[in-house]
């Protein structure tokens, strides 16, 4: 039996189907050298001429390194790995991570400073608010000096593509990203369309997108569970219709690194015209392999990666931008030969300014309310911490003993005293500019300065992190928020019953209401009093977290609240910071409830790009 089993396994390995032994029946059979589907013809006036000759089996086309207009006008290396950031689109689809237009603009500006090549600003057809946010990003961020490409997502439908084209038209470098599902399970149960219909839609919609925009990206949703033969034909049709980038999404986070690399290499062998377009990858972290999958795809020839700051996104999230970038940087000598470079070459493999990584991480965490886990690679609080005595001794003698990168490399510089209570408004503004907040309005600067002076009276040392926290508070503050905290008093201790008295202004009715309540603790008492004032009794507190901005007994406390509105079944978050964590807690809770109440007043429908198909 042992010999027979060995022979069977050898036969499976030679046939290239060893991975199918335990593979579910609804998944495609990935063969080593699949037969090509008969080529269709494109009659569209927007189709582009491509080399339609399919290379001999096992012969791969070279990776496309032809510089794009964006590369040439911004001076970017055409051989680099392009960083496509989808924090504002896929990342924002995480429950409770919805951002306002102002918050999206602030994140987009930071992404531009970070040096990302493409910002997927959103799904314009989702709602009027999403359209306006994408349009503003296209105008304001898409026309900065050395701007990124501004991309909008569109389903393979004319109405989506038209809306997307209008939203991004003011960017210097606009891109339309359109997609359709190609796996049998998606085509049968979601699209209810045949393979031939999907092929025809691909040709028609990519061509239609190309009529609006010279830069068109096409994605085959659920590509990693699609039949490779069919997938290669879909991608070939997309190229013939005018696509300039082909994206390969691991939509459900199912694949493994070797499978991803094999599929990319298969595309380079069997997709017509593949040598003239950029191969991109997109993936989720459901099995914890998203970054590893991307690194293998890069080895296979992918030259664009779609990722998010902190890896946020639907379900288990996306591949983390900071991990991909730093892997390429730290292991440059390993990856250089894959790019045809000497191992010792110091030419960067991406356009990312790594010193902006930590700041980008904190900003996204603040704006979305998604805390970064302490042991998160690159940007976690413990990423450069050492507790073991042996490790500490080694690091003190030589950092390289236990650290493979410097904290300064990702922007985690020493957090020194920068300002004090005698510092004036000019010094404060100058520090904001140094920290990257040069586009704040006068009103936002004034509100932050008032908060700074209040903090300086309570705290001896004001650090960069303190200032960032205050500024993020004020830029998130919406002057149109209906409910505003005016006063909070708490009484607690042992053995007394915690009691809170809260005063809130309703700007809509111009009324001031005070309520008192008891609770299990001072924070719970404050929350109960607030719920007596704000008409959001159907909102349930899902998450409450407190963290310290800096060390010390006088440190600012940052509070994040996440609530679910049972009426509309949506999750909202609120955030605030203060020396008094009870005050910060009350303000964060009110911020979350303000978002919930405002959303109830907005009766417009919001579409999801994958779940809504009509």
């Amino acid at each position: 039996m042992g010999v027979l089993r060995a022979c069977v396994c050898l036969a499976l390995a030679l046939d290239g189907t060893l991975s199918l032994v335990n593979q579910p029946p609804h998944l495609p059979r990935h063969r080593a050298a699949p037969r090509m589907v008969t080529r269709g013809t494109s009659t569209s006036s927007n189709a582009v001429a491509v080399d339609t000759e399919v290379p001999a089996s096992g012969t791969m086309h070279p990776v496309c390194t032809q510089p794009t207009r964006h590369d040439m006008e911004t001076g970017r290396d055409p051989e680099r790995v392009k960083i496509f950031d989808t924090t504002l689109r896929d990342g924002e689809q995480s429950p409770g991570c919805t951002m306002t237009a102002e918050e999206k603009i602030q994140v987009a500006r930071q992404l531009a400073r970070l040096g990302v090549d493409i910002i997927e600003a959103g799904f314009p057809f989702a709602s009027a608010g999403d359209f306006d946010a994408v349009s503003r990003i296209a105008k304001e961020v898409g026309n900065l000096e050395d701007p990124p490409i501004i991309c909008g997502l569109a389903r393979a439908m004319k109405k989506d593509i038209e809306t997307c084209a209008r939203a991004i038209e003011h960017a210097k470098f606009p891109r339309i990203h359109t997609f359709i599902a190609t796996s049998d399970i998606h085509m049968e149960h979601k699209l209810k369309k045949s393979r031939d219909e999907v092929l025809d839609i691909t040709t028609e919609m990519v061509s239609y997108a190309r009529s609006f925009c010279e830069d068109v990206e096409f994605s085959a949703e659920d590509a990693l569970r699609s039949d490779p033969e069919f997938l290669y034909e879909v991608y070939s049709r997309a190229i013939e219709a005018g696509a300039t980038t082909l994206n390969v999404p691991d939509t459900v986070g199912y694949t493994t690194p070797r499978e991803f690399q094999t599929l990319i290499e298969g595309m380079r062998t069997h997709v017509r015209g593949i040598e003239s377009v950029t191969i991109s990858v997109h993936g989720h972290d459901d099995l914890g392999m998203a970054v590893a999958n991307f690194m293998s795809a890069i080895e296979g020839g992918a030259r664009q990666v779609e990722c998010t700051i902190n890896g946020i996104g639907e379900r288990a999230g996306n591949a983390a931008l900071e991990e991909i970038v730093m892997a390429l940087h730290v292991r440059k000598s390993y990856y250089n030969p894959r790019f045809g470079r000497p191992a010792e070459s110091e030419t960067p493999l991406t356009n990312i300014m790594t010193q902006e990584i930590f700041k980008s991480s904190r900003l996204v965490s603040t704006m979305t309310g998604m805390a970064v886990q302490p042991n998160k690679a690159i940007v976690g609080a413990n990423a450069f911490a050492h507790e073991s005595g042996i490790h500490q001794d080694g690091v003190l003698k030589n950092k390289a003993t236990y650290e493979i990168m410097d904290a300064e490399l990702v922007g985690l510089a020493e957090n020194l005293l920068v300002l004090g209570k005698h510092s004036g408004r000019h010094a404060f503004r100058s520090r904001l500019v140094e920290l990257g907040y040069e586009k704040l309005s006068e009103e936002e600067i004034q509100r932050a300065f008032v908060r700074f002076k209040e903090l300086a009276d309570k705290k001896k040392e004001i650090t960069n992190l303190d200032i960032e926290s205050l500024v993020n508070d004020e830029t998130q503050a919406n002057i149109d928020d209906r409910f505003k905290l005016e006063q909070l008093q708490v009484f607690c201790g042992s053995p007394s019953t915690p009691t809170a008295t809260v005063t809130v202004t309703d700007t809509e009715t111009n009324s001031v209401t005070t309520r008192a309540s008891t609770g299990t603790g001072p924070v719970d008492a404050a929350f109960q009093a607030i719920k007596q004032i704000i008409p959001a009794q159907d909102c349930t507190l899902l998450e409450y977290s407190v963290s310290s901005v800096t060390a010390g007994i006088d440190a600012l406390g940052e509070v994040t609240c996440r609530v679910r509105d049972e009426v509309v079944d949506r999750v909202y978050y609120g955030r605030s910071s203060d020396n008094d964590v009870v005050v910060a807690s009350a303000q964060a809770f009110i911020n979350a409830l303000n978002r919930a109440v405002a959303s109830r007043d907005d009766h417009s429908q919001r579409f999801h790009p994958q779940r809504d198909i009509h």
Side-chain angles (χ1 to χ4, degrees):
M1 284 297 291
V3 174
L4 178 59
R5 181 174 300 172
C7 292
V8 171
C9 289
L10 178 60
L12 285 169
L14 291 174
D15 188 47
T17 58
L18 183 59
S19 63
L20 301 176
V21 173
N22 295 313
Q23 189 162 323
H26 69 275
L27 296 175
R29 293 178 174 269
H30 288 263
R31 289 183 283 275
R35 173 183 56 81
M36 281 299 299
V37 177
T38 304
R39 176 193 171 211
T41 58
S42 173
T43 58
S44 167
S45 60
N46 295 302
V48 294
V50 297
D51 179 7
T52 58
E53 180 180 353
V54 179
S57 178
T59 303
M60 287 190 292
H61 279 302
V63 172
C64 177
T65 58
Q66 181 178 354
T68 64
R69 182 170 71 90
H70 181 247
D71 294 336
M72 292 185 287
E73 294 189 24
T74 61
R76 305 189 189 204
D77 182 359
E79 297 183 1
R80 74 192 182 286
V81 174
K82 299 174 185 178
I83 302 299
F84 178 113
D85 184 275
T86 185
T87 301
L88 296 175
R89 201 277 300 170
D90 199 318
E92 202 215 9
Q93 288 175 201
S94 301
C97 285
T98 302
M99 289 180 270
T100 66
E102 292 298 331
E103 291 165 350
K104 290 181 180 180
I105 290 288
Q106 189 173 345
V107 171
R109 288 187 180 278
Q110 179 56 32
L111 293 175
R113 282 191 290 268
L114 181 62
V116 303
D117 299 290
I118 304 100
I119 295 176
E120 189 168 46
F123 175 38
F125 192 80
S127 68
D130 286 84
F131 177 91
D132 291 340
V134 173
S135 183
R136 284 190 59 188
I137 291 171
K139 292 174 184 176
E140 298 180 28
V141 181
N143 289 283
L144 296 171
E145 183 179 355
D146 189 20
I149 294 168
I150 303 300
C151 175
L153 183 69
R155 296 166 297 183
M157 301 178 181
K158 285 189 174 182
K159 59 184 180 181
D160 276 38
I161 292 170
E162 292 165 0
T163 303
C164 183
R166 291 199 309 274
I168 63 171
E169 63 182 348
H170 296 293
K172 186 174 182 180
F173 301 102
R175 173 183 292 186
I176 295 175
H177 179 192
T178 189
F179 71 95
I180 192 168
T182 55
S183 66
D184 288 335
I185 190 171
H186 274 242
M187 288 188 291
E188 177 183 353
H189 297 285
K190 186 177 79 169
L191 298 182
K192 301 189 185 304
K193 295 187 182 298
S194 67
R195 290 188 175 192
D196 286 341
E197 287 177 305
V198 168
L199 286 171
D200 290 340
I201 292 171
T202 297
T203 296
E204 180 184 3
M205 292 299 105
V206 171
S207 176
Y208 192 61
R210 186 62 188 260
S211 71
F212 292 99
C213 184
E214 67 178 15
D215 188 357
V216 175
E217 177 171 337
F218 171 76
S219 287
E221 186 186 6
D222 207 19
L224 272 297
R225 295 195 298 174
S226 300
D227 176 8
E229 297 180 13
F230 175 63
L231 187 66
Y232 299 152
E233 182 63 16
V234 172
Y235 281 136
S236 296
R237 295 283 190 94
I239 294 174
E240 292 164 356
T244 52
T245 299
L246 297 184
N247 184 44
V248 188
D250 182 19
T251 304
V252 294
Y254 176 80
T255 198
T256 65
R258 182 57 189 160
E259 286 176 321
F260 218 146
Q261 181 174 345
T262 298
L263 181 59
I264 300 300
E265 291 171 347
M267 289 174 59
R268 291 175 57 195
T269 302
H270 298 287
V271 174
R272 302 184 297 278
I274 194 69
E275 70 281 0
S276 63
V277 301
T278 298
I279 300 176
S280 173
V281 290
H282 176 105
H284 288 263
D285 205 33
D286 297 73
L287 295 177
M289 294 190 286
V291 171
N293 288 338
F294 277 28
M295 304 314 294
S296 289
I298 290 170
E299 291 193 63
R303 288 299 179 266
Q304 177 180 292
V305 291
E306 304 197 355
C307 44
T308 62
I309 301 295
N310 298 336
I312 67 170
E314 290 202 89
R315 302 187 313 279
N318 288 263
L321 179 151
E322 61 276 4
E323 296 178 23
I324 299 167
V325 168
M326 293 312 297
L328 288 170
H329 181 86
V330 172
R331 298 305 313 277
K332 197 182 302 178
S333 61
Y334 172 82
Y335 287 102
N336 273 336
R338 277 76 178 169
F339 289 74
R341 302 174 180 179
E344 64 276 8
S345 172
E346 290 300 318
T347 303
L349 293 174
T350 72
N351 189 61
I352 296 298
M353 300 291 294
T354 61
Q355 292 80 5
E356 293 287 332
I357 285 177
F358 183 73
K359 181 181 175 184
S360 302
S361 170
R362 272 190 57 83
L363 179 64
V364 170
S365 177
T366 296
M367 294 301 171
T368 62
M370 293 284 283
V372 177
Q373 66 196 60
N375 63 329
K376 168 77 170 63
I378 313 300
V379 293
N382 295 345
F384 298 95
H386 300 274
E387 185 168 329
S388 164
I390 296 175
H391 285 211
Q392 291 174 346
D393 180 66
V395 170
L396 289 173
K397 292 175 179 175
N398 186 328
K399 282 187 176 182
T401 53
Y402 288 101
E403 289 186 0
I404 60 174
M405 68 189 104
D406 289 329
E408 291 81 2
L409 188 60
V410 297
L412 191 58
E414 191 174 359
N415 191 33
L416 297 175
L417 170 69
V418 291
L419 294 174
K421 68 178 182 179
H422 299 297
S423 300
R425 194 171 188 275
H426 178 73
F428 182 72
R429 178 192 284 271
S430 298
R431 174 55 58 182
L432 292 181
V433 172
E434 292 175 17
L435 292 173
Y437 295 105
E438 69 275 5
K439 295 295 183 180
L440 295 179
S441 68
E442 286 298 320
E443 183 181 5
E444 289 171 334
I445 292 174
Q446 182 58 33
R447 291 203 307 263
F449 181 66
V450 170
R451 289 284 307 281
F452 160 72
K453 297 298 281 187
E454 292 173 352
L455 179 63
D457 286 334
K458 304 174 185 176
K459 192 173 188 289
K460 287 184 179 180
E461 299 181 347
I462 310 297
T463 66
N464 288 345
L465 292 178
D466 289 322
I467 292 176
E468 287 180 0
S469 183
L470 292 178
V471 172
N472 289 339
D473 259 6
E474 296 311 317
T475 54
Q476 279 189 299
N478 189 341
I479 60 173
D480 296 325
D481 279 348
R482 179 176 170 182
F483 299 98
K484 298 184 183 294
L485 178 66
E486 298 294 342
Q487 189 175 12
L488 169 65
Q489 290 182 326
V490 295
F491 177 80
C492 61
S494 180
S496 62
T497 300
T499 305
T501 303
V502 178
T503 301
V504 172
T505 296
D506 183 342
T507 60
E508 186 174 287
T509 61
N510 199 28
S511 59
V512 179
T513 305
T514 300
R515 291 288 184 271
S517 182
T518 60
T520 57
V523 172
D524 181 51
F527 284 11
Q528 296 302 327
I530 290 168
K531 291 186 72 172
Q532 292 179 26
I533 301 173
I534 298 178
Q537 285 74 21
D538 293 315
C539 287
T540 303
L541 181 66
L542 297 180
E543 180 184 330
Y544 168 78
S545 63
V546 184
S547 61
S548 173
V549 174
T550 56
I553 194 66
D554 57 355
L556 276 177
E558 279 188 343
V559 176
T560 299
C561 292
R562 202 173 298 274
V563 301
R564 179 187 298 281
D565 187 344
E566 306 296 345
V567 174
V568 295
D569 193 28
R570 291 187 64 181
V571 177
Y572 304 92
Y573 88 97
R575 174 203 169 275
S576 186
S577 62
D578 198 277
N579 287 99
D580 188 327
V581 294
V582 180
V583 173
S585 300
Q587 186 61 66
F589 190 50
I590 290 175
N591 290 344
L593 295 181
N594 269 321
R595 292 184 182 227
V597 171
S599 180
R600 288 183 184 180
D601 295 336
D602 180 8
H603 301 292
S604 60
Q605 184 178 3
R606 193 168 192 265
F607 293 92
H608 188 284
Q610 279 86 32
R611 290 193 282 269
D612 298 312
I613 62 172
H614 299 294

